[in-house]
């Protein structure tokens, strides 16, 4: 009677492992080498755990024949120096295996196939799943890392009633992930509800043990800039540039634009026919006001434009550094400053200058301390 061929332990058919890895690479773009490295690490660690004292274990991967074999490595030593049976082999014993062995050689001793199969079946599945998750997380990280400083649309999945943080699901399929829109990154007064589609600005993407962390914002000035890029073809193709932007989310934004083409009005391009382009963005931002001004290389002209809707009579530089004094008509002082100082504050952020606003009646009070900006040397 012919003896039955002994079956390999369940889960440890090398050919099946190679086939599974090939499928993962094809369907999920996870390299076979990445997963094989995880499998080898798992089974070598498990073998060492079950055989205390063994230090050197290797797994031989035969891709051509789709086979895996494990070996314990032992150093050949003189009989007098033989003290560690787990990692050493006396010369006489090595010679019994092959006459070619000499002191200092390394002998690879095959691990019993049954034991190898047991170890792989007991540890391989869990580690393969873990490795698969790590690979997927890496793919998600790479996918979203390439979208830093871009706009993504997420679906609100949960609103935390305790702290106001909102969870969003961004992306689809295996390349989707959860992102947290912190209360501080939400537009004041904006109410988000479950199921709502929301555009967010990707501030940063970080790796973490629980997967990639996507830092998103609805208040970042970059959100407004990207919305204009989506809405205004001239910005998208580079004809019109957004040179500077300052924002107080939910209330007002000031944006300075400039055109590379003298025949293209940068403000008109952003406003659009009948104001439709800017209106679409205002709607997306839930009614946030947007002031679009023309960038100017002349600081005086730029600062004066930034203080719109107020008219500026004169712009003067005071002392040293990026500071200036703006003179406005007496009846427009409050308009130039804005409610709670907002207009002046945004103009200062937009231009990078510290702005001191004075009424026209102030002009003759301290004439000696003021130097007209035209007399200042140009900054590099």
């Amino acid at each position: 009677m012919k003896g039955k061929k002994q079956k390999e332990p369940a889960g440890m058919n090398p050919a099946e492992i190679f086939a599974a890895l090939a499928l993962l690479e094809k369907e999920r773009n996870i390299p076979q080498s990445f997963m094989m490295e995880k499998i080898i690490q798992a089974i070598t660690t498990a073998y060492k755990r079950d055989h205390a004292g063994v230090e050197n274990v290797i797994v031989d991967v035969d891709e051509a024949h789709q086979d895996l074999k494990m070996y314990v490595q032992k150093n050949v030593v003189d009989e007098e120096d033989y003290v560690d049976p787990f990692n050493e082999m006396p010369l006489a014993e090595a010679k019994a295996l092959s006459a070619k062995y000499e002191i200092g050689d390394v002998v690879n001793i095959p691990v019993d196939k049954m034991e190898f199969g047991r170890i792989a079946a007991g540890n391989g599945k869990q580690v393969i799943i873990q490795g698969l998750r790590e690979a997927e997380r890496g793919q998600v990280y790479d996918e979203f890392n390439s979208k830093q400083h871009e706009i993504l649309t997420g679906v609100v999945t949960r609103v935390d009633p305790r702290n106001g943080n909102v969870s969003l699901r961004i992306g689809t399929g295996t390349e989707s992930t959860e992102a947290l829109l912190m209360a501080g990154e939400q537009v004041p007064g904006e109410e988000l509800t479950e199921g709502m589609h929301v555009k967010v600005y990707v501030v940063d993407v970080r790796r973490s043990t629980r997967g990639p962390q996507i830092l998103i914002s609805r208040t970042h000035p970059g959100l407004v800039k990207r919305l204009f890029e989506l809405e205004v073809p001239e910005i998208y193709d580079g004809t019109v540039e957004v040179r500077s932007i300052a924002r107080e989310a939910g209330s007002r934004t000031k944006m300075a634009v400039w055109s590379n083409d003298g025949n293209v009005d940068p403000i008109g391009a952003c406003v659009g026919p009948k104001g439709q382009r800017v209106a679409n963005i205002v709607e997306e931002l839930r009614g946030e006001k947007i002031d679009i001004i023309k960038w100017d290389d002349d600081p005086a002209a730029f600062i004066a434009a930034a203080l719109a809707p107020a008219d500026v009579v004169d712009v003067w530089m005071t002392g040293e550094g990026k500071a200036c004094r703006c003179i406005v008509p007496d009846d427009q002082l409050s308009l130039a400053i804005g409610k709670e100082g907002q207009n002046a504050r945004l103009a200062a952020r937009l231009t990078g200058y510290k702005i001191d606003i004075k009424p026209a009646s102030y002009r003759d009070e301290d004439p000696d301390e003021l130097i007209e900006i035209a007399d200042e040397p140009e900054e590099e």
Side-chain angles (χ1 to χ4, degrees):
M1 181 178 176
K2 292 183 179 179
K4 291 184 178 180
K5 186 177 180 181
Q6 195 173 31
K7 292 183 179 180
E8 250 176 13
M12 191 47 218
N13 185 329
E16 291 179 357
I17 290 180
F18 277 96
L21 298 188
L23 187 63
L24 286 175
E25 184 171 55
K26 180 180 179 180
E27 293 188 349
R28 302 202 184 187
N29 200 30
I30 302 173
Q32 292 189 49
S33 58
F34 175 87
M35 291 303 298
M36 184 60 74
E37 183 180 344
K38 294 293 182 182
I39 293 173
I40 292 173
Q41 182 180 1
I43 57 182
T44 53
T45 299
Y47 186 88
K48 290 180 181 180
R49 183 185 63 233
D50 294 345
H51 299 77
V54 175
E55 296 177 359
N56 301 315
V57 181
I58 63 169
V59 175
D60 179 42
V61 180
D62 185 352
E63 293 185 5
H65 298 90
Q66 296 193 339
D67 195 17
L68 299 174
K69 292 179 182 178
M70 177 180 276
Y71 299 93
V72 174
Q73 292 187 319
K74 293 188 176 183
N75 296 317
V76 179
V77 297
D78 189 271
E79 279 76 359
E80 296 179 357
D81 299 326
Y82 177 59
V83 293
D84 184 359
F86 294 109
N87 301 291
E88 295 177 346
M89 177 180 288
L91 180 60
E93 188 176 333
K95 289 286 188 182
L97 296 175
S98 174
K100 69 177 183 179
Y101 288 120
E102 300 293 342
I103 294 174
D105 289 343
V106 176
V107 179
N108 291 335
I109 303 174
V111 172
D112 179 74
K113 198 169 187 179
M114 286 287 292
E115 182 178 17
F116 184 33
R118 176 187 63 80
I119 292 173
N123 299 273
K125 182 177 180 181
Q126 179 182 352
V127 175
I128 289 174
I129 293 174
Q130 181 181 353
L132 179 59
R133 287 175 180 167
E134 289 180 6
E136 289 179 339
R137 287 171 180 172
Q139 285 182 308
V140 172
Y141 173 83
D142 292 339
E143 170 69 18
F144 287 100
N145 190 49
S146 66
K147 295 178 179 178
Q148 283 194 50
H149 313 308
E150 298 293 338
I151 286 180
L152 297 178
T153 299
V155 179
V156 177
T157 58
R158 182 175 182 272
V159 179
D160 193 328
R162 297 170 301 172
N163 53 31
N165 294 340
V166 175
S167 296
L168 300 176
R169 190 69 181 171
I170 298 178
T172 58
T174 58
E175 295 180 350
S176 66
T177 189
E178 288 287 334
L180 190 64
L181 182 62
M182 304 295 289
E185 296 297 331
Q186 297 173 34
V187 176
E190 184 178 62
E191 185 177 353
L192 302 178
T193 57
E194 292 185 12
M196 182 183 290
H197 287 71
V198 181
K199 285 186 172 65
V200 293
Y201 181 77
V202 181
V203 180
D204 193 13
V205 181
R206 300 173 183 171
R207 294 185 186 273
S208 73
T209 55
R210 298 181 62 182
Q213 284 187 328
I214 303 177
L215 305 182
I216 56 178
S217 175
R218 287 274 296 168
T219 63
H220 198 284
L223 176 65
V224 179
K225 182 179 180 181
R226 292 304 185 198
L227 286 173
F228 270 97
E229 287 181 358
L230 294 173
E231 194 69 36
V232 182
E234 291 85 351
I235 293 181
Y236 182 79
D237 66 20
T239 303
V240 174
E241 295 180 14
V242 177
R243 288 292 185 88
S244 181
I245 190 166
R247 184 185 184 202
E248 292 191 359
S251 180
R252 196 178 208 95
T253 289
K254 284 182 180 287
M255 186 174 73
V257 293
W258 179 80
S259 176
N260 291 303
D261 187 340
N263 297 319
V264 176
D265 174 18
I267 297 178
C270 293
V271 173
K274 298 182 179 179
Q276 190 58 49
R277 291 175 178 175
V278 71
N280 292 339
I281 296 172
V282 169
E283 181 180 0
E284 172 63 34
L285 298 176
R286 312 292 193 266
E288 183 175 316
K289 295 180 177 62
I290 300 177
D291 296 337
I292 305 172
I293 69 170
K294 188 175 181 179
W295 170 277
D296 200 307
D297 289 329
D298 176 14
F302 185 31
I303 293 167
L307 284 172
D311 294 324
V312 177
V313 178
D314 275 318
V315 178
W316 306 74
M317 186 67 75
T318 63
E320 299 180 356
K322 300 187 73 172
C324 67
R325 180 164 294 155
C326 296
I327 307 299
V328 300
D330 288 33
D331 60 352
Q332 293 194 28
L333 180 62
S334 60
L335 183 63
I337 295 173
K339 185 179 180 180
E340 298 178 351
Q342 183 187 72
N343 194 58
R345 188 164 56 248
L346 286 174
R349 293 179 192 169
L350 187 74
T351 61
Y353 277 79
K354 183 178 179 180
I355 301 175
D356 181 25
I357 302 174
K358 297 294 182 181
S361 58
Y362 175 85
R363 290 173 63 94
D364 299 327
E365 293 184 13
D366 302 302
D368 293 337
E369 70 177 53
L370 302 179
I371 305 172
E372 194 168 358
I373 197 169
D375 295 334
E376 287 292 310
E378 294 184 2
E379 294 187 6
E380 295 294 333

